[in-house]
Amino acid sequence: MPLLKNAHILIIDDDPVGIQMLNHVLWRAGEVAFATSGEAGLQALGQRAFDLVLLDYEMPGLDGISVCRLIKNQHPELPVIFVTVRNDPEAEVLALSSGASDFISRPYSDAVVMARVNTQLRLRLYAERIRSQVMIDPLTGLANRRAMEEALLREYARTRRQGTPLSVMMVDVDHFKRFNDYYGHLEGDNVLAHVAEALRQCARRPGDVVARFGGEEFCVVLADAPNAPACSVAEAMLQRVRNLQLPHAGSTTQPYVTVSAGVATLHPPANAQAYEPNTSSSNHELLARALDLVRNADTALYHAKVDGRDRVVSYADLPPDSTMADFNPTPLRAA
């Protein structure tokens, strides 16, 4: 079985000789990076994406078992293979129970390492293909809510790590129930598809994610976006939807379909703490905090509706005691 190409592999090992030996075996698989400590390895994983990690068992500072547990906590889908001089069953059991996908003892056969790495890369590729199929909303072709939450979690973690701003936008089709009542649900679906494409056309940067949140509501995650530029993107989205001139006889706002938007932005302090592996929160905890930003955007959206619809409201412009009285937003929960 030929070795898969173009993989991004990270070797975490405090022994330069061990790193060189593995690199000699794996360089044909793609790009091989290395870190000489557990802490450095975790930092590398926080800065870019990898397809596979090869990990030493015994290292000064954070040992391999601790590193593996932290990796699986933050990147549960990332396969980890231990490569170690340990060959006792107890070490292998502990490694596998910490989340590792495989365990290779030194001295090893180059062919065995290639075969096991290839197996993990293929499993990762298959899993990604299946995952991509369940992360798309079938009606609009946008990311679905699950994909949005993953993107939000990823960007929220990056914001905490690098101190970059993060904006979230909630967008809702105005008077959509009236549209369905007047034109029928099939036409309503057609409107949602057109609105989705309009939103997508306005958020095209690599880190931007436009998702169908539920019903006629959409969520947009804008990475590295301060509040003012995010509001500008929202205004562009509203204008693009207006330009569609989709008739809406049931609307009391305009004779055509319009949307309203709420924007919320997280501006971390300039001295935001760097990644601290020993105190890292779980993905569930981070997502719960990140969803507060969605709630704030939902509050701003509510005020856009109250203020007359077909407009953008920023949460930053609302008074501190703003509430969502008599409003029941879509329940938010950590998946």
Side-chain angles (χ1 to χ4, degrees), residues 232-264:
S232 295
V233 172
E235 293 285 1
M237 289 178 171
L238 266 63
Q239 186 58 51
R240 189 173 285 266
V241 173
R242 295 185 195 110
N243 292 344
L244 295 174
Q245 292 289 298
L246 300 171
H248 189 346
S251 174
T252 57
T253 303
Q254 299 287 356
Y256 46 81
V257 172
T258 60
V259 297
S260 300
V263 178

Side-chain angles (χ1 to χ4, degrees), residues 35 56 74 106 120 177 187 189 233 316:
D56 191 16
Q74 294 294 328
R106 290 189 172 107
Q120 294 304 322
K177 183 180 184 303
E187 282 302 313
D189 288 349
V233 172

Side-chain angles (χ1 to χ4, degrees), residues 30-106:
E31 181 181 343
V32 180
F34 67 90
T36 56
S37 70
E39 292 84 354
L42 292 170
Q43 285 186 336
L45 288 168
Q47 294 168 357
R48 57 167 300 180
F50 288 93
D51 300 306
L52 177 67
V53 174
L54 277 71
L55 179 62
D56 191 16
Y57 194 97
E58 295 176 336
M59 296 181 292
L62 283 175
D63 62 17
I65 296 298
S66 299
V67 172
C68 185
R69 287 171 175 161
L70 287 165
I71 290 174
K72 302 306 288 187
N73 183 39
Q74 294 294 328
H75 310 277
E77 77 291 346
L78 182 60
V80 177
I81 299 178
F82 272 91
V83 182
T84 174
V85 294
R86 297 284 296 268
N87 59 7
D88 52 295
E90 293 80 6
E92 184 171 357
V93 168
L94 186 57
L96 296 175
S97 64
S98 70
S101 301
D102 206 344
F103 187 94
I104 301 174
S105 295
R106 290 189 172 107

